[in-house]
């Protein structure tokens, strides 16, 4: 029998500052050579479980525990954080928070320097670790010069210089474009095949992780393990949907078509799926019966970019000759690889940067003479992390701040307007609460409410659902959908291909500073060449359509229509 790396037995843990436990009666064994996915809704205990595995509990988060937890055959109580670092290597969601060195090479060597390893051996081990993850050509680069995927590889190499028994990945896909995420899953698979270490992945994006095989999926809810199953077994149940986790799209499509999902058809991965001729006939019949919404898009241009080019100091050409029209009342996705120019384009719209060439028009008016403040009267920008935008301790004060600074309304008028916005945003009952009492998703709504109080015509949101479970994702997106129905034009910068398909009819694709596509979302995600060029990923629905001899683009379009109807 394989050697156990981690073993929880009737383990319960309560943080020092809390009245109730966060983990209840955890029984879980992870052995060398296993690859395990841990998933569950926000607040289910995933992070606490991972903190137990890497020593942050009790080193950084003290509390009370009952039951037993052994790591590498030794009780966690008898480990120091240093001794545990030799057993468990952690790759954080935010790679920037894990860097120590001024260069990639220095960062990888950090653990070896602490052990006083001689320089020749250190250099050899650093180079070997860098080669294993494919970043040997970047050893002299500063970490901030790298892409998100490359930063992850540096963090991983820093762990691989030691022979750890467990690799722990905390939401490794959260900040990556689809193709970089795919590469990360392939890299984890490579580590799985070439070492005998255990691998634990904590991730919301279940379908993306299941792009490669995992041995078991641990499903958590309210501090308890409620399932420990193979992917085939888990996807044959309703446990994911019942616990707020999105099923893979192809599984949902098969259910809509009336196909029975059982372990025998190997539903755990799209490339192992085994459909009978009867199953394929059910999918074809469903496809023919789906009716298509032909409602036309508005053709009234609100914002136009004409021949926009921009280069940063040092000569890096971020955007080249971008021309684009955005219509009034539209909800539009901007997608593309990390560093493609998406965020730069939004900064130019808001006036945070000025283009070297080209002009933006709003309602036909040249924006080049508008100050940032004047643009903000029409265009709101919501950053990915709401904590970086909030400046006031109380909700009402935060939402009213822009109106107060503007100085055009009386106190009574400001109060009435803020109350109205808070009602639209579902925050009115919390109007006197401190911001600190809110969840991440509620804070996101506060930042949107602050901008909405200024009556913008356009709101730009950078990764509005990054790191959110299905419930919070749905809350945020349905709220934005409601705003859009009230006439606000919404621009979404996103790496989430399902969000793009589900909520927007049109998307524009950036790559290397160029606009390479402006069409329907279905057409983009069924075009292999465009997906490859822009670091996107073809949807699993395309594969299912191909298996059933149906046209990919139209199949995806009909699935989205049906999915919207069912959820409504």
């Amino acid at each position: 029998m394989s050697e156990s790396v981690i073993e929880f037995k009737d383990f319960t843990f309560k943080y020092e500052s809390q009245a109730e436990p966060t983990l209840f009666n955890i029984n879980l064994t992870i052995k060398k050579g296993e690859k395990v996915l841990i998933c569950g809704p926000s607040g289910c205990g995933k992070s606490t479980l991972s903190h137990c595995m890497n020593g942050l509990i009790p080193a950084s988060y003290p509390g009370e525990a009952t039951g037993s937890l052994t790591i590498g055959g030794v009780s966690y109580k008898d480990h120091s954080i240093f001794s545990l670092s030799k057993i468990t290597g952690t790759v954080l969601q935010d790679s920037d928070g894990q860097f120590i060195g001024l260069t990639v090479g220095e960062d990888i060597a950090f653990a070896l320097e602490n052990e006083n390893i001689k320089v020749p051996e250190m250099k050899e081990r650093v180079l070997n670790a860098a080669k294993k993850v494919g970043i040997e050509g970047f050893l002299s680069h500063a970490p901030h010069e790298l892409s998100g995927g490359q930063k992850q590889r540096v963090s991983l190499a820093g762990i691989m210089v030691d022979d750890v028994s467990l690799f722990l990945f905390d939401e490794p896909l959260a900040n990556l474009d689809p193709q970089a995420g795919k590469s990360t899953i392939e890299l984890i698979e490579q580590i799985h095949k070439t070492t005998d270490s255990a691998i634990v992945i904590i991730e919301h994006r279940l379908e993306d992780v299941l792009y490669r095989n995992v041995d078991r999926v641990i499903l958590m809810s309210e501090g308890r393990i409620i399932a420990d199953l193979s992917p085939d077994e888990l996807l044959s149940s309703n446990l994911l949907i019942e616990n707020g986790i999105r099923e893979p799209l192809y599984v949902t499509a098969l259910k809509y078509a009336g196909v029975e999902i059982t372990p025998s058809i190997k539903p755990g991965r799209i490339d192992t799926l085994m459909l009978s001729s009867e199953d394929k006939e059910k999918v074809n019949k469903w496809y023919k019966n789906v009716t298509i919404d032909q409602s036309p898009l508005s053709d009234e241009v609100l914002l136009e970019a004409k021949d926009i080019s921009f280069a940063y100091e040092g000569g890096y050409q971020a955007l080249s000759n971008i021309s684009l029209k955005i219509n009034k009342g539209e909800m539009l996705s901007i997608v593309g690889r990390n560093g493609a120019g998406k965020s730069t384009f939004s900064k130019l719209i808001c006036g945070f940067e000025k283009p070297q060439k080209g002009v933006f028009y709003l309602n036909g008016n040249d924006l080049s003479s508008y100050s940032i403040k004047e643009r903000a009267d029409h265009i709101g920008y919501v950053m990915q992390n709401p904590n970086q935008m909030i400046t006031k301790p109380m909700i009402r004060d935060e939402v009213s701040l822009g109106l107060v600074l503007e100085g055009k309304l009386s106190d009574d008028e400001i109060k009435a307007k803020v109350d109205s916005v808070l009602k639209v945003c579902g925050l009115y009952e919390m109007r006197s609460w401190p911001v600190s009492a809110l969840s991440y998703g509620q804070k996101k709504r506060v930042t949107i409410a602050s901008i909405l109080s200024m009556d913008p015509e356009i709101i730009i949101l950078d990764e509005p659902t990054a790191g959110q479970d299905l419930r919070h994702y749905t809350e945020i997106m349905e709220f934005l959908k409601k705003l859009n129905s009230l006439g606000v034009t919404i621009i979404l910068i996103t790496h989430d291909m399902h969000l793009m398909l589900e909520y927007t009819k049109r998307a524009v694709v950036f790559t290397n500073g160029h606009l390479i596509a402006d069409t329907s979302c279905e057409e983009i995600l069924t075009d292999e060449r465009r997906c490859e060029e822009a670091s996107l990923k073809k949807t699993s629905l395309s594969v299912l359509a191909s298996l059933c001899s149906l046209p990919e683009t139209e199949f995806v379009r009909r699935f989205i229509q049906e999915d919207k109807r069912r959820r409504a």
Side-chain angles (χ1 to χ4, degrees):
M1 184 174 288
S2 299
E3 179 186 345
S4 295
V5 179
I6 300 278
E7 190 167 9
F8 294 87
K9 286 185 178 178
D10 296 321
F11 186 81
T12 294
F13 179 79
K14 179 177 77 68
Y15 287 103
E16 200 172 66
S17 59
Q18 293 186 342
E20 297 294 327
T22 299
L23 297 177
F24 297 87
N25 300 318
I26 300 296
N27 287 286
L28 174 65
T29 300
I30 298 172
K31 298 178 179 179
K32 275 198 168 187
E34 278 195 299
K35 193 205 287 189
V36 177
L37 168 62
I38 299 177
C39 64
S42 295
C44 70
K46 304 187 299 295
S47 295
T48 300
L49 194 69
S50 73
H51 292 160
C52 293
M53 294 181 190
N54 62 18
L56 290 178
I57 290 176
S60 298
Y61 304 108
E64 299 173 15
T66 58
S68 70
L69 165 59
T70 57
I71 304 172
V74 177
S75 170
Y76 82 107
K77 296 177 183 177
D78 298 327
H79 274 294
S80 66
I81 192 96
F82 177 76
S83 66
L84 263 178
S85 71
K86 300 296 178 185
I87 299 173
T88 302
T90 305
V91 178
L92 299 174
Q93 175 182 343
D94 177 14
S95 298
D96 289 325
Q98 200 160 350
F99 290 132
I100 301 295
L102 296 177
T103 68
V104 168
E106 287 179 16
D107 201 80
I108 297 172
F110 180 71
L112 303 178
E113 289 177 330
N114 284 341
E115 295 170 30
N116 206 22
I117 301 297
K118 291 182 178 179
V119 171
E121 181 187 348
M122 187 188 303
K123 287 183 175 180
E124 183 180 355
R125 287 171 66 175
V126 166
L127 182 59
N128 287 338
K131 284 180 177 177
K132 286 179 182 177
V133 297
I135 47 115
E136 67 273 18
F138 297 89
L139 293 177
S140 62
H141 286 57
H144 71 265
E145 295 174 346
L146 306 182
S147 70
Q150 289 168 332
K151 287 176 180 178
Q152 265 190 350
R153 289 170 184 255
V154 174
S155 299
L156 189 51
I159 293 165
M160 295 182 78
V161 293
D162 284 321
D163 187 21
V164 297
S165 300
L166 171 67
F167 289 95
L168 178 60
F169 293 88
D170 182 9
E171 296 204 29
L173 308 181
N175 298 313
L176 300 181
D177 63 52
Q179 199 63 247
K182 184 177 175 182
S183 297
T184 294
I185 295 302
E186 288 172 344
L187 178 61
I188 294 172
E189 176 71 1
Q190 178 186 332
I191 294 166
H192 185 226
K193 287 180 177 178
T194 56
T195 72
D196 65 350
S197 301
I199 292 174
V200 172
I201 305 168
I202 299 172
E203 183 56 68
H204 287 297
R205 289 161 59 174
L206 182 91
E207 180 173 346
D208 292 329
V209 176
L210 295 182
Y211 165 66
R212 288 289 179 256
N213 188 51
V214 301
D215 297 305
R216 297 148 61 199
V217 182
I218 311 298
L219 179 61
M220 296 188 67
S221 179
E222 297 181 347
R224 293 177 169 83
I225 292 175
I226 59 171
D228 181 350
L229 301 169
S230 72
D232 288 337
E233 292 169 327
L234 183 63
L235 294 182
S236 299
S237 73
N238 289 318
L239 286 168
L240 291 174
I241 294 298
E242 289 170 1
N243 289 278
I245 303 297
R246 188 186 300 285
E247 291 178 322
L249 293 179
Y250 62 91
V251 172
T252 305
L254 289 171
K255 287 182 176 179
Y256 287 167
V259 174
E260 185 181 3
I261 311 296
T262 64
S264 63
I265 69 170
K266 303 289 184 185
R269 282 167 51 193
I270 185 64
D271 59 352
T272 64
L273 189 64
M274 299 168 60
L275 296 180
S276 66
S277 55
E278 183 182 350
D279 290 336
K280 292 177 183 178
E281 181 57 36
K282 286 180 179 177
V283 174
N284 272 264
K285 186 177 179 181
W286 166 81
Y287 170 84
K288 291 171 185 173
N289 289 334
V290 175
T291 55
I292 297 298
D293 175 17
Q294 301 290 354
S295 57
L297 293 170
S298 164
D299 58 1
E300 183 182 350
V301 176
L302 176 60
L303 179 72
E304 180 178 5
K306 199 165 184 179
D307 297 324
I308 298 293
S309 294
F310 177 79
Y312 285 102
E313 285 184 24
Y316 172 65
Q317 191 69 36
L319 294 170
S320 299
N321 300 316
I322 304 296
S323 292
L324 170 66
K325 292 179 180 179
I326 297 170
N327 296 324
K328 193 166 188 176
E330 191 172 12
M331 190 183 284
L332 173 85
S333 290
I334 299 179
V335 299
R337 67 175 74 241
N338 292 99
K342 306 184 300 295
S343 295
T344 299
F345 184 69
S346 66
K347 290 175 184 176
L348 292 171
I349 293 173
C350 295
F352 304 151
E353 302 280 0
K354 292 186 178 181
Q356 276 93 32
K357 177 190 167 190
V359 181
F360 284 101
Y361 296 96
L362 181 69
N363 291 314
N365 299 315
D366 184 346
L367 281 179
S368 57
S369 62
Y370 283 48
S371 66
I372 291 177
K373 166 65 180 66
E374 288 168 333
R375 292 194 193 206
D377 291 338
H378 304 275
I379 303 165
Y381 181 75
V382 180
M383 298 168 71
Q384 181 174 333
N385 185 348
N387 295 315
Q388 294 175 338
M389 293 184 67
I390 293 171
T391 60
K392 294 290 184 180
M394 306 301 290
I395 290 174
R396 180 182 287 284
D397 293 340
E398 179 64 29
V399 177
S400 64
L401 180 61
L403 295 172
V404 171
L405 292 175
E406 195 173 41
K408 293 180 180 178
L409 302 178
S410 68
D411 289 348
D412 288 343
E413 288 172 323
I414 289 174
K415 182 180 183 301
K417 188 161 192 178
V418 168
D419 284 349
S420 175
V421 168
L422 289 172
K423 287 173 183 176
V424 169
C425 298
L427 295 167
Y428 183 72
E429 300 301 321
M430 309 171 195
R431 60 194 180 278
S432 299
W433 287 20
V435 174
S436 59
L438 303 182
S439 69
Y440 185 92
Q442 288 168 333
K443 286 179 182 177
K444 198 95 170 181
R445 277 193 267 164
V446 169
T447 61
I448 295 168
S450 301
I451 286 168
L452 201 60
S453 69
M454 306 302 291
D455 293 324
E457 295 176 80
I458 300 171
I459 297 181
I460 303 171
L461 298 104
D462 190 357
E463 294 290 354
T465 59
Q468 300 292 296
D469 63 19
L470 181 59
R471 180 171 69 86
H472 292 101
Y473 163 103
T474 303
E475 282 179 2
I476 290 169
M477 290 311 302
E478 288 299 316
F479 165 60
L480 292 176
K481 186 177 171 184
K482 179 182 177 183
L483 292 187
N484 184 239
S485 71
L486 297 174
V488 180
T489 298
I490 307 285
I491 300 173
L492 306 170
I493 301 170
T494 184
H495 287 141
D496 188 333
M497 297 298 96
H498 191 277
L499 179 154
M500 167 182 148
L501 280 171
E502 187 175 12
Y503 287 96
T504 62
K505 291 185 177 180
R506 174 185 165 218
V508 294
V509 183
F510 283 78
T511 187
N512 299 324
H514 295 275
L515 181 62
I516 64 166
D518 179 354
T519 186
S520 73
C521 302
E522 306 90 60
E523 289 179 68
I524 289 167
L525 289 188
T526 52
D527 185 327
E528 195 153 354
R529 182 185 61 79
R530 277 179 180 157
C531 285
E532 183 70 27
E533 193 177 351
S535 202
L536 305 179
K537 186 163 70 78
K538 284 185 74 175
T539 170
S540 60
L541 296 169
S542 294
V543 182
L544 179 58
S546 183
L547 281 173
C548 298
S549 304
L550 290 167
E552 293 181 22
T553 301
E554 190 57 32
F555 183 86
V556 173
R557 182 175 289 120
R558 295 186 185 212
F559 170 81
I560 295 300
Q561 292 281 335
E562 179 78 355
D563 194 48
K564 285 178 180 176
R565 271 194 289 270
R566 298 252 185 166
R567 286 186 298 100

